[in-house]
Amino acid sequence: MTPRMTAQRIDGKAFAAQLRERVGTIAAEFEQEAGRKAGLAVVLVGEDPASQVYVRSKGKATVAANMESFEHRLPEDASEADLLSLVERLNGDEAVDGILVQLPLPGHIDEQKVIAAISPDKDVDGFHVINAGRLSVGQSGFVPCTPLGCMMLLTDRLGDLSGLEAVVIGRSNIVGKPMAQLLLDANATVTIAHSRTRDLPAVVRRADIVVAAVGRAEMVKADWLKDGATVIDVGINRLPPEPGAQKGRLVGDVDFGGASEVAGAITPVPGGVGPMTIAVLLRNTLVAAHRNAGLDVPESL
Ligand code: GUN
């Protein structure tokens, strides 16, 4: 047997850096035309350490892309009513184009109620049912950042997706369902697989495109993949630490080492899908700013 070629690495980190650069340039032009910066408000409730890190990096990336960042921190014991009234205030604030309420929220706050309170035209996360509905009927709205980022990587790599078999593993509202919708809009033949799917390896073996978004470390194995498949790994899982180490390694939902010997192209973890999420958030915010200011959305966004 001839040794297999190794899959090409899909460099999400580099792609995201280019997208942020492009957003920064267009944001500067927006400021000239609109006479104000595009603005993103990020709301963090409580002290969750991972969320604090995300919120800080979102703030930095927003400012680096020539946009205004508004950070709102509420204490862990803030009431649902406090949060809803903050969202209401941001809905009415003309300097704010996009609103992101960092999830998860503390258990005493109803996440769905908070998402429903965000104006759909400022819902740059694309989580509001209005935006989910717009996506499902093909109207323009806001698409959740992670699946949109995956789609950008896929079309950059494959061009036209018409007729390709795509299998999305995972059916969350944030990734799996919108991902399937985007692939369907691009004329792929789409299967959504999940924890009750029978013979998952056989289903995945049909796929030209595999998007893994289940949150289970290295679940997708090399022998599940068709030769040359394009593999997008959305998972970010931390393995238990090796003896003597402080922290375990970060891995995706795909066994990267094995899959690299079968796939045509694959996203690494870290450095694949992860960096795309914030870049797309900035892009969505700048789209919102153009719409809110009554300006045409530039094609290159
Ligand atoms: N928590 C983890 N990822 C996200 C995200 O993309 N948006 C929001 N709002 N919260 C998150």
Side-chain angles (χ1 to χ4, degrees):
M1 230 173 78
T2 48
R4 290 254 346 133
M5 296 279 291
T6 355
Q8 285 204 9
R9 271 167 70 102
I10 299 175
D11 191 345
K13 196 172 163 189
F15 193 101
Q18 279 176 18
L19 176 56
R20 282 189 273 114
E21 184 79 33
R22 200 159 74 238
V23 168
T25 305
I26 299 171
E29 290 161 7
F30 174 85
E31 187 180 357
Q32 288 294 314
E33 276 187 78
R36 65 170 182 89
K37 287 191 183 221
L40 172 65
V42 175
V43 180
L44 174 61
V45 184
E47 311 280 329
D48 179 69
S51 292
Q52 288 185 342
V53 173
Y54 288 137
V55 165
R56 208 169 315 127
S57 23
K58 283 168 192 166
K60 274 194 197 161
T62 306
V63 172
N66 300 319
M67 301 195 278
E68 191 114 44
S69 167
F70 306 98
E71 236 174 80
H72 295 269
R73 288 167 183 264
L74 298 183
E76 180 80 25
D77 62 357
S79 69
E80 189 177 274
D82 289 341
L83 180 54
L84 290 172
S85 79
L86 172 58
V87 167
E88 222 26 76
R89 189 151 60 76
L90 296 172
N91 282 341
D93 185 340
E94 289 186 359
V96 171
D97 295 294
I99 302 170
L100 179 147
V101 178
Q102 184 68 26
L103 304 178
L105 289 169
H108 64 279
I109 299 179
D110 180 346
E111 282 184 2
Q112 287 309 318
K113 205 162 160 185
V114 174
I115 292 168
I118 297 171
S119 160
D121 298 331
K122 296 192 176 187
D123 169 39
V124 286
D125 258 331
F127 292 169
H128 194 290
V129 288
I130 294 276
N131 283 316
R134 286 171 175 161
L135 177 61
S136 80
V137 298
Q139 292 177 6
S140 64
F142 291 105
V143 177
C145 303
T146 301
L148 185 52
C150 294
M151 203 60 193
M152 289 177 181
L153 295 177
L154 279 170
T155 48
D156 179 61
R157 162 94 202 156
L158 297 171
D160 184 10
L161 308 187
S162 285
L164 295 179
E165 287 273 353
V167 173
V168 178
I169 316 173
R171 54 175 154 179
S172 69
N173 291 336
I174 294 177
V175 183
K177 285 182 207 165
M179 187 74 233
Q181 201 68 61
L182 287 167
L183 287 161
L184 188 60
D185 286 347
N187 301 312
T189 301
V190 183
T191 302
I192 306 181
H194 46 77
S195 54
R196 305 290 176 90
T197 296
R198 266 190 290 136
D199 200 355
L200 181 59
V203 172
V204 174
R205 235 171 257 131
R206 293 205 301 259
D208 304 302
I209 295 168
V210 179
V211 180
V214 269
R216 290 185 54 183
E218 300 178 321
M219 183 184 80
V220 177
K221 305 298 182 196
D223 67 354
W224 295 21
L225 300 173
K226 175 156 115 177
D227 243 16
T230 302
V231 180
I232 304 290
D233 191 349
V234 183
I236 301 179
N237 312 287
R238 198 172 283 284
L239 292 178
E242 307 272 335
Q246 285 263 303
K247 277 182 167 181
R249 254 182 335 119
L250 279 185
V251 297
D253 292 347
V254 179
D255 171 16
F256 183 82
S260 293
E261 294 182 7
V262 183
I266 184 167
T267 57
V269 177
V273 173
M276 290 300 291
T277 301
I278 289 185
V280 175
L281 173 68
L282 302 176
R283 180 258 172 208
N284 280 358
T285 302
L286 193 51
V287 169
H290 282 82
R291 289 182 185 153
N292 293 340
L295 297 170
D296 288 339
V297 178
E299 290 256 345
S300 54
L301 271 183

